[in-house]
Amino acid sequence: MVIVLFGKPGAGKGTQAPRLAEALGVPILATGDVLRAALREGTRLGLAAKSYMDRGDLVPDDVILGIVKEALASDRFKGGAVLDGVVRTVPQAEGLERVLGELGRSLTAVLAFDIDDDEIVQRISGRLVCDVCQTPVPGGEVGAPCPKPGPTDGGHLVRRKDDEPEAVRTRLDVYRAQTLPVLDWYREHGTTVRTIDAVGAVEEVTDRALSAIGITPERAA
Ligand code: AP5
């Protein structure tokens, strides 16, 4: 099963990804997390992506498709994937189709999380993430240790640079101009696209997403 999580910045893709991945028994590929990890480690990929990410622009398609191709061809993803943050442009949709075709697989569905801009601004203005595992943490304080259950990952809560108001505005503009047309591309290519109401309790949104792909939450649990 290969699922694309689609939606505006702050729609809840990163919150839902681990919940859906656990229910479906497949790993997550989150391009934003891969890029932020590269940035933190100061690799060539991170340095190349930094200026795009800081101002809220998209990283070039060839960079993203390189990450996707390498990951999906690895053993870790041979049973499927939840793709968080890919696909964001039509060339990425075409590239993903090509990569999956080469691997003898196909996309199961696109889950499009639906939410209005006012709710996005409110969510993002309050968002802190762990600087190691990158999990969004509601209601935390900057500098507090990552509260993820289990052994500590040593991370602390930070505010993402691209969550500053100007970068958020750019990200929403970029979404409308470059990312939204991807949904029409998928519909025209016969891919299953399901719209999920992304407003409500996190658990409710998960249940809606699972139901949309024909999995009852009880069966998944
Ligand atoms: P990325 O990290 O993918 O960011 P994004 O798509 O902008 O999405 P976010 O992480 O901001 O939001 P989200 O939808 O995951 O929401 P979250 O769960 O955190 O990408 C960052 C950058 O990397 C891009 O701008 C680009 O530069 C580059 N990049 C990455 N992929 C790329 C690609 N394919 N092509 C080109 N460039 C790429 O939730 C948001 C907040 O809301 C959190 O505080 C959360 O706690 C809260 N929340 C979540 N659900 C609920 C709920 N149901 N009720 C109340 N609050 C909720």
Side-chain angles (χ1 to χ4, degrees):
M1 190 172 261
V2 181
I3 301 285
V4 162
L5 306 189
F6 188 94
K8 292 174 186 170
K13 304 179 296 292
T15 301
Q16 294 299 327
R19 304 172 62 84
L20 297 174
E22 194 188 343
L24 301 173
V26 297
I28 304 166
L29 174 59
T31 38
D33 290 354
V34 171
L35 293 168
R36 278 186 293 276
L39 209 77
R40 215 177 36 244
E41 287 156 17
T43 64
R44 220 167 53 174
L45 170 65
L47 295 177
K50 182 177 177 5
S51 60
Y52 297 98
M53 294 180 75
D54 284 353
R55 61 176 185 262
D57 278 333
L58 295 181
V59 172
D61 291 330
D62 57 336
V63 175
I64 298 298
L65 287 170
I67 295 171
V68 170
K69 189 170 181 177
E70 189 182 332
L72 292 184
S74 70
D75 276 356
R76 180 156 187 259
F77 288 93
K78 68 178 177 219
V82 167
L83 301 179
D84 166 8
V86 208
V87 178
R88 294 195 199 222
T89 64
V90 169
Q92 288 183 24
E94 292 166 343
L96 176 63
E97 190 167 78
R98 217 168 28 245
V99 169
L100 289 173
E102 284 164 12
L103 295 168
R105 296 189 237 162
S106 60
L107 191 55
T108 312
V110 175
L111 298 181
F113 290 96
D114 185 36
I115 183 168
D116 67 31
D117 285 6
D118 290 347
E119 175 82 15
I120 294 280
V121 170
Q122 202 185 342
R123 283 187 182 183
I124 287 187
S125 65
R127 172 168 64 183
L128 297 177
V129 299
C130 170
D131 62 357
V132 173
C133 68
Q134 315 204 13
T135 306
V137 178
E141 272 181 33
V142 172
C146 173
K148 207 164 105 171
T152 177
D153 62 13
H156 292 87
L157 302 189
V158 294
R159 188 166 165 75
R160 273 169 48 175
K161 198 158 179 185
D162 62 351
D163 279 352
E164 297 301 332
E166 196 176 333
V168 173
R169 271 194 295 278
T170 304
R171 286 160 67 201
L172 285 168
D173 289 346
V174 165
Y175 171 82
R176 275 185 271 274
Q178 297 185 55
T179 305
L180 202 47
V182 172
L183 279 188
D184 283 338
W185 187 93
Y186 274 123
R187 289 190 180 111
E188 283 158 17
H189 283 74
T191 304
T192 303
V193 176
R194 301 273 183 252
T195 301
I196 313 295
D197 178 1
V199 180
V202 169
E203 301 76 16
E204 282 171 24
V205 178
T206 310
D207 289 355
R208 286 175 204 149
L210 289 172
S211 303
I213 47 174
I215 295 178
T216 59
E218 290 73 30
R219 196 151 35 103

